[in-house]
Amino acid sequence: LLGVLSFNAVLIVFKFLGKYKIDNLQALFYNYLVAGICGIFYSREIFSLDRLLTSDFSGYGFLIGGLFIASFLFLALASQKMGMSVATTANKMSVIFPIMAAFLFLGESFTIQKCFGIILALAAVYLVTKSNKAVKITRSEIWILLFIFVGQGIADIFFNLASAWHVKGDELGLFFTCIFLAAAVIGLTVIIYKVITKKSNLQPKAILWGVLLGLLNFSTLYFFFASLESEFLESSQVYPIFNMAIILIAALVGFLAF
């Protein structure tokens, strides 16, 4: 529940970024920098850059970090242009990717109950989208939603595999740090390029929004990972429950507040 609320708070912040004309990329850079620092403090071991770069999960972390910042950029754009429910639906429809990966690579059981639950989840996603007739989506915006869907799905697959195969309990904070700092480095590189080529100016006001996003982002990943490690549910059950709860709350908040 806390992870669901944290993610929806991220979407609400995205709406305010658009309202106050905050540069999405700069806010996301500060976001991932703060989230990475949170990961260092959360880690049970002394932070070491050498350990970060040579760990078994470092390759996963760098890849996930790149996919995270790209997907979140498009998620922020979609949330501002098309609304929270549409953006969240595209993001969380990707649930099918990690679920199939759990069956194919992690050997999780495939039961009639799980199959029925997945079908219900996808049906609910379709109904949420279908009911939102006020939003007119252009062809270019469809590509934005498609990238969110595929990018987040691939990121979730690698996150699931890394957490199952390579991340030990005492390495959780280091894994988070690897993901977030990789995203921050990519974001900083693009920001420097845009400033040098005079395509963008630095916005000091993006720092505060980025810090807020970073705390919420770290909270989301922390609570989600905790649910994956729970013995009560398998990952093929966690993903649809988590994602459907986010979609339903986002649709409700979008309807009531925006």
Side-chain angles (χ1 to χ4, degrees), residues 123-162:
V125 168
Y126 171 78
L127 291 174
V128 168
T129 308
K130 192 75 174 175
S131 64
N132 200 344
K133 296 180 180 179
V135 178
K136 302 298 182 182
I137 300 176
T138 65
R139 182 170 296 182
S140 62
E141 290 171 343
I142 289 176
W143 284 104
I144 293 175
L145 297 177
L146 183 62
F147 184 89
I148 293 171
F149 170 69
V150 176
Q152 187 62 51
I154 296 174
D156 285 343
I157 287 177
F158 284 112
F159 186 89
N160 206 6
L161 295 181

Side-chain angles (χ1 to χ4, degrees), residues 37-91:
I37 293 172
C38 287
I40 292 174
F41 281 107
Y42 174 77
S43 179
R44 299 172 188 174
E45 299 184 2
I46 298 175
F47 177 75
S48 165
L49 185 60
D50 181 65
R51 173 83 185 279
L52 186 71
L53 296 175
T54 58
S55 61
D56 291 339
F57 54 75
S58 60
Y60 287 91
F62 300 146
L63 179 59
I64 295 169
L67 289 168
F68 267 17
I69 192 166
S71 297
F72 262 67
L73 268 175
F74 283 105
L75 182 63
L77 187 62
S79 180
Q80 291 159 7
K81 286 180 172 291
M82 292 167 268
M84 285 178 59
S85 62
V86 174
T88 309
T89 298
N91 182 261

